[in-house]
Amino acid sequence: SFQSAFKEVMQRGGFDAIVGNPPYGSRAGDTSEAYLVGRFESFKKVRDVYLAFIERTSVLLTNSGRLGYIVPSAWLGGPRYMKLREIVLSHSVDTLILLPFDVFRDAYVDTLILILVNSAPDGSLTRTFSYDKKARLESVDVEAYSEVDQSFWRSSPDLKIVLNPQTASLAKRLEESFDTTIGSYCAMTRGVLFDRSLLTDKRVNANSYPYFEGDVYRYNLVFDAPQFIEFGPQMKEYPRSVSWFEGERVLLRRLVNRQQRLMAALVQDTVITNKNLYVVKQTSNEVSLRAILAVLNSRLVSHLYLNQVSQATKDDFPQVTIKDITALPFPMKDAAPPPLGMQKLDLLVDQMLDTKKRIATAQRDSDRERLQLKCDYLDGEIDRLVYGLYGLTEEEIRIVEGNS
């Protein structure tokens, strides 16, 4: 009870400043968790104690009092953190600083500094800064902040907080320019979860299928399925139908690579994939599966996704979430037949897939190098075509490519 422990402080309206590093990443215990669920709206969907700390202290401040915390960054864009964003954005957010990896030696989690002022957010400009993820800090000493109008974040449907103002403007323009999203043309689900003791060396019944243990890279599937798994209720997690694992489809890795790019490849074989791979199936003939593959692998979509979603993982890699990927705009407005750009995209993707296969079977280093150069060229052509389909200006292209 702050009213009892800090009676004089609370009688005069609260604290002038609250500073801290709340606990995060561990459970509160059943009794405490039940209490927190009943007390704090932000805690109900994400059972991490730091959310309750932010919600609690934001009402313990005097008018114009300040809150300064270092906390995980996942709440900036994660779909389950919308209530916390609503609470934070009801105040004036003074500063947000996205920190590099390894700020804490024993905590592998992306973190940020939040400085919040207990005042109305009207007309508020938030200072933002993002460190390079590999930077090594002795202290936090920022001179060149960007400034973002807080109303920009409040006007977005899911209240996502994008720290780069140029990317935020680009994302908003694209959302307003296109009525369709990636999810308008495809459906996604994640793979199965099961005990590996269920794997067998041969098919045991009609519900047994090869289990994929290979790798997925951009436009490149390294196929390996030496064992079988029975699809069904003995699995811990699985989609309703085995049809997700049949027919031509895209596999999208749940983790982003070290170049900060999404990784997707085409697969045709019937194989069961695990929860680290998302299955993407075409739901409309208006857009081809190859066009969906190209957009997922494009530099633009990686840039939009990684700058709008800050999902922390213990190995420092951002995670792909189905809800956020399918909500990204897709450059199609019920056009029939598909625009010429889409048709050319199909041709380029076919060339890319063919070249990737030829690299895998090439015998000489010189052949592999030559084919890799062709892949690099095709990759650039696909990116330029995607920019055109989304209607990006030269300045917006420079923002996406980091040359602004």
PDB file of all heavy atoms in Angstrom, residues 296-313:
ATOM      1  N   LEU A 296       7.476 -11.996 -49.599  1.00  0.00           N
ATOM      2  CA  LEU A 296       7.981 -12.392 -48.277  1.00  0.00           C
ATOM      3  C   LEU A 296       9.502 -12.287 -48.206  1.00  0.00           C
ATOM      4  O   LEU A 296      10.068 -11.921 -47.172  1.00  0.00           O
ATOM      5  CB  LEU A 296       7.543 -13.812 -47.933  1.00  0.00           C
ATOM      6  CG  LEU A 296       6.061 -14.015 -47.620  1.00  0.00           C
ATOM      7  CD1 LEU A 296       5.748 -15.502 -47.477  1.00  0.00           C
ATOM      8  CD2 LEU A 296       5.654 -13.267 -46.359  1.00  0.00           C
ATOM      9  N   ASN A 297      10.176 -12.602 -49.312  1.00  0.00           N
ATOM     10  CA  ASN A 297      11.644 -12.566 -49.333  1.00  0.00           C
ATOM     11  C   ASN A 297      12.203 -11.191 -49.697  1.00  0.00           C
ATOM     12  O   ASN A 297      13.421 -11.007 -49.712  1.00  0.00           O
ATOM     13  CB  ASN A 297      12.183 -13.594 -50.344  1.00  0.00           C
ATOM     14  CG  ASN A 297      12.306 -14.985 -49.746  1.00  0.00           C
ATOM     15  OD1 ASN A 297      12.569 -15.138 -48.555  1.00  0.00           O
ATOM     16  ND2 ASN A 297      12.120 -16.000 -50.566  1.00  0.00           N
ATOM     17  N   SER A 298      11.345 -10.241 -49.990  1.00  0.00           N
ATOM     18  CA  SER A 298      11.814  -8.936 -50.454  1.00  0.00           C
ATOM     19  C   SER A 298      12.448  -8.129 -49.331  1.00  0.00           C
ATOM     20  O   SER A 298      12.124  -8.291 -48.152  1.00  0.00           O
ATOM     21  CB  SER A 298      10.662  -8.141 -51.066  1.00  0.00           C
ATOM     22  OG  SER A 298       9.724  -7.767 -50.073  1.00  0.00           O
ATOM     23  N   ARG A 299      13.333  -7.250 -49.723  1.00  0.00           N
ATOM     24  CA  ARG A 299      13.974  -6.351 -48.764  1.00  0.00           C
ATOM     25  C   ARG A 299      12.943  -5.438 -48.103  1.00  0.00           C
ATOM     26  O   ARG A 299      13.025  -5.116 -46.916  1.00  0.00           O
ATOM     27  CB  ARG A 299      15.037  -5.508 -49.471  1.00  0.00           C
ATOM     28  CG  ARG A 299      15.880  -4.648 -48.535  1.00  0.00           C
ATOM     29  CD  ARG A 299      16.885  -3.833 -49.314  1.00  0.00           C
ATOM     30  NE  ARG A 299      17.857  -4.684 -49.982  1.00  0.00           N
ATOM     31  CZ  ARG A 299      18.969  -5.130 -49.408  1.00  0.00           C
ATOM     32  NH1 ARG A 299      19.252  -4.816 -48.158  1.00  0.00           N
ATOM     33  NH2 ARG A 299      19.804  -5.906 -50.083  1.00  0.00           N
ATOM     34  N   LEU A 300      11.921  -5.035 -48.871  1.00  0.00           N
ATOM     35  CA  LEU A 300      10.904  -4.126 -48.344  1.00  0.00           C
ATOM     36  C   LEU A 300      10.131  -4.747 -47.191  1.00  0.00           C
ATOM     37  O   LEU A 300       9.969  -4.137 -46.135  1.00  0.00           O
ATOM     38  CB  LEU A 300       9.936  -3.720 -49.461  1.00  0.00           C
ATOM     39  CG  LEU A 300       8.718  -2.903 -49.015  1.00  0.00           C
ATOM     40  CD1 LEU A 300       9.151  -1.587 -48.365  1.00  0.00           C
ATOM     41  CD2 LEU A 300       7.775  -2.653 -50.180  1.00  0.00           C
ATOM     42  N   VAL A 301       9.647  -5.974 -47.375  1.00  0.00           N
ATOM     43  CA  VAL A 301       8.840  -6.605 -46.325  1.00  0.00           C
ATOM     44  C   VAL A 301       9.678  -6.884 -45.082  1.00  0.00           C
ATOM     45  O   VAL A 301       9.207  -6.705 -43.952  1.00  0.00           O
ATOM     46  CB  VAL A 301       8.162  -7.892 -46.861  1.00  0.00           C
ATOM     47  CG1 VAL A 301       7.661  -8.772 -45.721  1.00  0.00           C
ATOM     48  CG2 VAL A 301       7.006  -7.517 -47.776  1.00  0.00           C
ATOM     49  N   SER A 302      10.941  -7.293 -45.256  1.00  0.00           N
ATOM     50  CA  SER A 302      11.814  -7.477 -44.088  1.00  0.00           C
ATOM     51  C   SER A 302      11.984  -6.161 -43.339  1.00  0.00           C
ATOM     52  O   SER A 302      11.939  -6.120 -42.105  1.00  0.00           O
ATOM     53  CB  SER A 302      13.183  -8.012 -44.519  1.00  0.00           C
ATOM     54  OG  SER A 302      13.104  -9.377 -44.877  1.00  0.00           O
ATOM     55  N   HIS A 303      12.174  -5.073 -44.080  1.00  0.00           N
ATOM     56  CA  HIS A 303      12.353  -3.760 -43.454  1.00  0.00           C
ATOM     57  C   HIS A 303      11.090  -3.345 -42.695  1.00  0.00           C
ATOM     58  O   HIS A 303      11.169  -2.915 -41.534  1.00  0.00           O
ATOM     59  CB  HIS A 303      12.686  -2.719 -44.523  1.00  0.00           C
ATOM     60  CG  HIS A 303      12.840  -1.329 -43.987  1.00  0.00           C
ATOM     61  ND1 HIS A 303      14.019  -0.874 -43.420  1.00  0.00           N
ATOM     62  CD2 HIS A 303      11.963  -0.295 -43.910  1.00  0.00           C
ATOM     63  CE1 HIS A 303      13.863   0.381 -43.029  1.00  0.00           C
ATOM     64  NE2 HIS A 303      12.619   0.745 -43.309  1.00  0.00           N
ATOM     65  N   LEU A 304       9.936  -3.479 -43.339  1.00  0.00           N
ATOM     66  CA  LEU A 304       8.685  -3.097 -42.686  1.00  0.00           C
ATOM     67  C   LEU A 304       8.443  -3.942 -41.448  1.00  0.00           C
ATOM     68  O   LEU A 304       8.079  -3.423 -40.382  1.00  0.00           O
ATOM     69  CB  LEU A 304       7.511  -3.264 -43.654  1.00  0.00           C
ATOM     70  CG  LEU A 304       7.424  -2.288 -44.830  1.00  0.00           C
ATOM     71  CD1 LEU A 304       6.294  -2.689 -45.762  1.00  0.00           C
ATOM     72  CD2 LEU A 304       7.224  -0.855 -44.338  1.00  0.00           C
ATOM     73  N   TYR A 305       8.654  -5.255 -41.575  1.00  0.00           N
ATOM     74  CA  TYR A 305       8.370  -6.144 -40.453  1.00  0.00           C
ATOM     75  C   TYR A 305       9.295  -5.871 -39.263  1.00  0.00           C
ATOM     76  O   TYR A 305       8.843  -5.705 -38.135  1.00  0.00           O
ATOM     77  CB  TYR A 305       8.486  -7.605 -40.887  1.00  0.00           C
ATOM     78  CG  TYR A 305       8.194  -8.545 -39.741  1.00  0.00           C
ATOM     79  CD1 TYR A 305       6.889  -8.822 -39.383  1.00  0.00           C
ATOM     80  CD2 TYR A 305       9.214  -9.110 -38.993  1.00  0.00           C
ATOM     81  CE1 TYR A 305       6.597  -9.643 -38.316  1.00  0.00           C
ATOM     82  CE2 TYR A 305       8.937  -9.935 -37.920  1.00  0.00           C
ATOM     83  CZ  TYR A 305       7.632 -10.204 -37.584  1.00  0.00           C
ATOM     84  OH  TYR A 305       7.359 -11.002 -36.506  1.00  0.00           O
ATOM     85  N   LEU A 306      10.594  -5.819 -39.520  1.00  0.00           N
ATOM     86  CA  LEU A 306      11.549  -5.702 -38.427  1.00  0.00           C
ATOM     87  C   LEU A 306      11.495  -4.339 -37.747  1.00  0.00           C
ATOM     88  O   LEU A 306      11.885  -4.211 -36.593  1.00  0.00           O
ATOM     89  CB  LEU A 306      12.968  -5.977 -38.939  1.00  0.00           C
ATOM     90  CG  LEU A 306      13.224  -7.436 -39.312  1.00  0.00           C
ATOM     91  CD1 LEU A 306      14.532  -7.574 -40.064  1.00  0.00           C
ATOM     92  CD2 LEU A 306      13.234  -8.314 -38.078  1.00  0.00           C
ATOM     93  N   ASN A 307      11.006  -3.333 -38.443  1.00  0.00           N
ATOM     94  CA  ASN A 307      10.894  -2.019 -37.831  1.00  0.00           C
ATOM     95  C   ASN A 307       9.556  -1.786 -37.150  1.00  0.00           C
ATOM     96  O   ASN A 307       9.377  -0.783 -36.472  1.00  0.00           O
ATOM     97  CB  ASN A 307      11.136  -0.923 -38.878  1.00  0.00           C
ATOM     98  CG  ASN A 307      12.610  -0.723 -39.159  1.00  0.00           C
ATOM     99  OD1 ASN A 307      13.313  -0.038 -38.425  1.00  0.00           O
ATOM    100  ND2 ASN A 307      13.090  -1.342 -40.228  1.00  0.00           N
ATOM    101  N   GLN A 308       8.628  -2.717 -37.327  1.00  0.00           N
ATOM    102  CA  GLN A 308       7.327  -2.571 -36.681  1.00  0.00           C
ATOM    103  C   GLN A 308       7.096  -3.567 -35.560  1.00  0.00           C
ATOM    104  O   GLN A 308       6.214  -3.376 -34.733  1.00  0.00           O
ATOM    105  CB  GLN A 308       6.204  -2.742 -37.716  1.00  0.00           C
ATOM    106  CG  GLN A 308       6.122  -1.616 -38.719  1.00  0.00           C
ATOM    107  CD  GLN A 308       4.908  -1.759 -39.601  1.00  0.00           C
ATOM    108  OE1 GLN A 308       3.787  -1.465 -39.207  1.00  0.00           O
ATOM    109  NE2 GLN A 308       5.128  -2.232 -40.820  1.00  0.00           N
ATOM    110  N   VAL A 309       7.884  -4.638 -35.544  1.00  0.00           N
ATOM    111  CA  VAL A 309       7.683  -5.687 -34.546  1.00  0.00           C
ATOM    112  C   VAL A 309       8.993  -5.928 -33.815  1.00  0.00           C
ATOM    113  O   VAL A 309      10.002  -6.248 -34.428  1.00  0.00           O
ATOM    114  CB  VAL A 309       7.200  -7.003 -35.202  1.00  0.00           C
ATOM    115  CG1 VAL A 309       7.002  -8.076 -34.145  1.00  0.00           C
ATOM    116  CG2 VAL A 309       5.918  -6.763 -35.968  1.00  0.00           C
ATOM    117  N   SER A 310       8.985  -5.766 -32.509  1.00  0.00           N
ATOM    118  CA  SER A 310      10.199  -5.989 -31.729  1.00  0.00           C
ATOM    119  C   SER A 310       9.955  -7.161 -30.787  1.00  0.00           C
ATOM    120  O   SER A 310       9.615  -7.001 -29.631  1.00  0.00           O
ATOM    121  CB  SER A 310      10.552  -4.725 -30.936  1.00  0.00           C
ATOM    122  OG  SER A 310      11.767  -4.882 -30.256  1.00  0.00           O
ATOM    123  N   GLN A 311      10.105  -8.382 -31.303  1.00  0.00           N
ATOM    124  CA  GLN A 311       9.875  -9.591 -30.518  1.00  0.00           C
ATOM    125  C   GLN A 311      11.211 -10.121 -29.995  1.00  0.00           C
ATOM    126  O   GLN A 311      12.049 -10.563 -30.762  1.00  0.00           O
ATOM    127  CB  GLN A 311       9.204 -10.667 -31.374  1.00  0.00           C
ATOM    128  CG  GLN A 311       7.752 -10.346 -31.720  1.00  0.00           C
ATOM    129  CD  GLN A 311       6.858 -10.393 -30.512  1.00  0.00           C
ATOM    130  OE1 GLN A 311       6.759  -9.412 -29.796  1.00  0.00           O
ATOM    131  NE2 GLN A 311       6.229 -11.508 -30.269  1.00  0.00           N
ATOM    132  N   ALA A 312      11.408 -10.075 -28.692  1.00  0.00           N
ATOM    133  CA  ALA A 312      12.676 -10.525 -28.123  1.00  0.00           C
ATOM    134  C   ALA A 312      12.696 -12.038 -27.992  1.00  0.00           C
ATOM    135  O   ALA A 312      11.711 -12.670 -27.650  1.00  0.00           O
ATOM    136  CB  ALA A 312      12.873  -9.898 -26.749  1.00  0.00           C
ATOM    137  N   THR A 313      13.856 -12.637 -28.275  1.00  0.00           N
ATOM    138  CA  THR A 313      14.061 -14.061 -28.077  1.00  0.00           C
ATOM    139  C   THR A 313      15.381 -14.266 -27.360  1.00  0.00           C
ATOM    140  O   THR A 313      16.262 -13.425 -27.408  1.00  0.00           O
ATOM    141  CB  THR A 313      14.093 -14.819 -29.416  1.00  0.00           C
ATOM    142  OG1 THR A 313      15.173 -14.317 -30.197  1.00  0.00           O
ATOM    143  CG2 THR A 313      12.799 -14.640 -30.187  1.00  0.00           C
TER     144      THR A 313
END
